[in-house]
Amino acid sequence: MIFIKLILAHLLGDFILQPNSWVADKENHKLKSKFLYLHILIHTILSLVFLWGLQLWWVAVLVGITHFMIDASKLIFQNVKTKKRWFFIDQLLHVSVIAEVSFYFQEFSFGFVQNQEFLKVIMAALFLTTPASIFIKTLLSSWTPAPDGPNTIQTESLSSAGKYIGILERLLVFTFIMVNHWEGVGFMVAAKSVFRFSDLAQAKQRKLTEYVLIGTLLSFGLAVLTGIIIK
């Protein structure tokens, strides 16, 4: 299925294989950033690899060109206030291009595709890692509470621990759903509540508690919705 293969390439290229330093450099230097063109090259190569057919080289080139046009427009027109809006516009346009390419071929399967269900699961798992983290972070960006006051939680934390905890919990929830063990999802929610919300209760910060609660529900809800769609 061309759609699934190009979505896989997109998830890898736009999220997994694009460090935050590249994103910052592109936002600072816009079209002069060398990482913009390296990012486009990676997308084109990934598309060609996943399509696995030299006769479809033009599809990979088309994806690369349109990806550059969309990313360039985003870099030129976005500002601090519209950054969140442009993130979703950018992703919607990329998916729309992939959908149009798939529609052009009319049929979604080819002989060299061996296991469509496996590709769907891999696509969903990839989405629930860094892409889902960025989606949730973007949605919550307007509500991020400022840490102040004597009751602020002061604890030592591992670098990017929250990000990786979220990724692991979404993957575990997705796994539980795929193997039809919904009780595992309840266990995950209970475990997260015990370990996380005890600290928040001590801090006595309502805004921070609400922020964490919304983030947790979004994370679990996204994993559950993804599992249901794939099943």
Side-chain angles (χ1 to χ4, degrees):
M1 184 178 287
I2 281 185
F3 180 79
I4 294 178
K5 291 189 172 188
L6 291 180
I7 288 292
L8 276 170
H10 175 74
L11 292 176
L12 282 172
D14 232 26
F15 299 99
I16 310 298
L17 299 180
Q18 181 175 215
N20 291 331
S21 58
W22 290 19
V23 176
D25 189 87
K26 289 194 299 180
E27 291 178 348
N28 290 331
H29 299 95
K30 302 187 185 301
L31 299 187
K32 294 182 180 180
S33 173
K34 63 181 180 181
F35 294 111
L36 170 62
Y37 303 96
L38 180 57
H39 174 64
I40 299 304
L41 177 62
I42 290 174
H43 258 288
T44 305
I45 294 174
L46 284 172
S47 298
L48 185 60
V49 169
F50 275 95
L51 289 171
W52 202 253
L54 290 178
Q55 71 277 13
L56 296 175
W57 64 269
W58 62 272
V59 176
V61 172
L62 177 63
V63 169
I65 292 174
T66 55
H67 200 99
F68 172 77
M69 294 172 62
I70 295 169
D71 278 15
S73 299
K74 174 187 173 184
L75 292 172
I76 292 172
F77 295 110
Q78 78 173 4
N79 54 48
V80 176
K81 292 183 178 180
T82 61
K83 188 174 180 179
K84 181 194 296 187
R85 184 189 311 161
W86 268 103
F87 169 78
F88 290 105
I89 293 174
D90 173 80
Q91 293 302 313
L92 179 61
L93 289 175
H94 289 317
V95 174
S96 297
V97 169
I98 294 173
E100 288 173 10
V101 170
S102 303
F103 180 76
Y104 170 81
F105 284 94
Q106 296 181 353
E107 54 182 15
F108 290 93
S109 60
F110 289 85
F112 50 80
V113 178
Q114 299 297 322
N115 194 329
Q116 296 293 330
E117 294 303 318
F118 177 74
L119 286 176
K120 290 179 182 178
V121 172
I122 295 298
M123 178 184 68
L126 275 176
F127 169 72
L128 291 174
T129 57
T130 304
S133 296
I134 295 176
F135 270 91
I136 293 171
K137 182 179 179 180
T138 303
L139 284 170
L140 294 177
S141 60
S142 301
W143 301 324
T144 304
D148 55 6
N151 292 324
T152 301
I153 301 175
Q154 300 292 339
T155 59
E156 294 183 357
S157 178
L158 298 174
S159 177
S160 302
K163 171 185 174 182
Y164 294 112
I165 290 172
I167 290 173
L168 289 173
E169 71 185 17
R170 285 191 295 274
L171 290 176
L172 284 171
V173 169
F174 178 70
T175 301
F176 286 136
I177 294 175
M178 295 306 295
V179 298
N180 289 319
H181 282 286
W182 285 83
E183 65 275 10
V185 179
F187 170 78
M188 288 292 299
V189 173
K192 181 72 176 287
S193 301
V194 170
F195 287 105
R196 191 68 178 95
F197 292 103
S198 59
D199 290 338
L200 292 173
Q202 294 176 8
K204 297 179 182 178
Q205 285 195 344
R206 182 172 180 178
K207 289 183 179 179
L208 181 59
T209 302
E210 291 174 344
Y211 174 80
V212 173
L213 180 59
I214 293 173
T216 298
L217 292 175
L218 277 173
S219 183
F220 279 96
L222 203 56
V224 170
L225 181 61
T226 302
I228 291 174
I229 291 174
I230 295 299
K231 291 211 70 174

